[in-house]
Amino acid sequence: MMLAAGVGSPAAAGVLFLGAIALLITSVMLNRRAIPPVPDLARSSVGRLSRDRVVKIDFSVDGRLAQFRWNRLTGRAELRFDTERVTLQSPWHFSAHFSLETERVWRHIIGQQLVEIEKQRPRTFAGFRPNLFIVRVDGTTVPI
């Protein structure tokens, strides 16, 4: 017995699946063009918008040069200062790749000062839109 290409056939399901994927890609591309970038926020001391694969933020803590790195693909976040490397988020943890939270804060003490790095991601289409980063040292926002 042969199945006709009807509503319940595998061919119809495949066509519906491909149509849904095409609709999703089109809506993402239209949404990306419709939302203009925020250039004043990207250049201000409040934070940095990033679409880069690896985010590198250089700042100073108590006269020492520090660098924050976050890899968008692996989820690895690390803080480098002097000759030390501190892993803030490992790519092996499940929460590095899948999380419903829109804000994440990493904290580490350098010398006597508390360094907080806050990452804010958009709620919709988060993988296709830039993240906002805010760096604070002892509660004071550091210019980036």
Side-chain angles (χ1 to χ4, degrees):
M1 183 166 125
M2 293 179 56
L3 289 174
V7 176
S9 71
V15 170
L16 286 175
F17 177 73
L18 291 177
I21 294 296
L23 182 64
L24 178 65
I25 290 172
T26 305
S27 67
V28 166
M29 296 308 283
L30 290 175
N31 189 18
R32 197 172 195 179
R33 288 188 203 128
I35 299 173
V38 187
D40 58 336
L41 186 60
R43 287 192 283 276
S44 73
S45 63
V46 172
R48 171 178 151 170
L49 292 171
S50 175
R51 291 181 188 220
D52 301 336
R53 185 175 67 88
V54 178
V55 175
K56 297 176 188 174
I57 301 174
D58 295 314
F59 57 97
S60 178
V61 179
D62 199 25
R64 300 162 76 178
L65 183 64
Q67 182 182 60
F68 169 73
R69 288 181 171 213
W70 176 69
N71 191 321
R72 172 180 221 133
L73 296 177
T74 64
R76 176 186 217 73
E78 64 182 17
L79 184 62
R80 297 178 177 189
F81 55 94
D82 294 338
T83 59
E84 293 185 49
R85 285 185 180 179
V86 177
T87 302
L88 302 172
Q89 177 175 290
S90 172
W92 302 109
H93 287 120
F94 182 75
S95 64
H97 305 285
F98 302 102
S99 177
L100 297 177
E101 299 173 355
T102 57
E103 291 183 5
R104 176 165 290 164
V105 179
W106 294 288
R107 292 178 179 89
H108 188 74
I109 295 176
I110 298 178
Q112 297 293 324
Q113 297 184 329
L114 175 67
V115 176
E116 294 179 336
I117 299 156
E118 180 179 345
K119 178 181 77 101
Q120 298 176 354
R121 70 167 179 84
R123 188 173 298 276
T124 57
F125 300 112
F128 301 102
R129 295 175 56 199
N131 293 298
L132 174 68
F133 290 88
I134 301 170
V135 177
R136 293 185 190 93
V137 177
D138 285 336
T140 305
T141 304
V142 175
I144 299 173

